[in-house]
Amino acid sequence: QVQLVESGGGLVQAGGSLRLSCAASRSTDTINAMGWYRQAPGSQRELVATITSAGSTNYADSVKGRFTISRDNAKNTVSLQMNSLKSEDTAVYYCKTESLTVYGIVSSWGQGTQVTVSA
């Protein structure tokens, strides 16, 4: 397993920006993909953005043009720059990694960081 620690969450007014960061501990396994997910109260956890080791990215339609995901492969970190935040972006944001192990692909999750966007 990979230990993940998120940071950067907080309270921001609509239209503002936040930058989330996730740091992964050292692992003998190869981290193929990293991403961000979020879950609002009463809602299912949803994908926000992912990025592969090659730099390919995917975004949820709801955040395209507003959020940018990036990673540093050498440091095993992933960040999410969130601009033009809306109240609907309020959620707990989770960092996730997918690692290739001898048993196959294993997912690791961070503890989550709260993002609250006020009107």
Side-chain angles (χ1 to χ4, degrees):
Q1 291 183 288
V2 177
Q3 182 179 355
L4 303 174
V5 180
E6 301 105 330
S7 63
L11 175 64
V12 65
Q13 293 192 40
S17 299
L18 284 174
R19 184 177 179 85
L20 306 182
S21 296
C22 175
S25 64
R26 290 184 178 181
S27 175
T28 58
D29 301 315
T30 300
I31 299 177
N32 299 117
M34 306 183 78
W36 290 93
Y37 293 71
R38 67 186 182 187
Q39 186 169 19
S43 301
Q44 298 184 33
R45 187 173 299 184
E46 64 178 354
L47 184 148
V48 177
T50 60
I51 185 168
T52 69
S53 59
S56 298
T57 59
N58 281 299
Y59 296 92
D61 289 340
S62 60
V63 306
K64 286 182 179 177
R66 300 189 298 119
F67 292 9
T68 302
I69 189 171
S70 61
R71 68 182 289 173
D72 185 328
N73 291 337
K75 297 181 179 180
N76 286 330
T77 59
V78 61
S79 298
L80 184 69
Q81 179 66 45
M82 305 185 293
N83 298 326
S84 301
L85 284 163
K86 307 173 182 179
S87 60
E88 62 197 77
D89 295 318
T90 296
V92 176
Y93 284 69
Y94 297 90
C95 177
K96 178 190 177 184
T97 64
E98 292 188 347
S99 302
L100 180 61
T101 74
V102 294
Y103 303 106
I105 298 176
V106 175
S107 297
S108 297
W109 293 88
Q111 81 284 0
T113 185
Q114 177 70 48
V115 172
T116 302
V117 184
S118 64

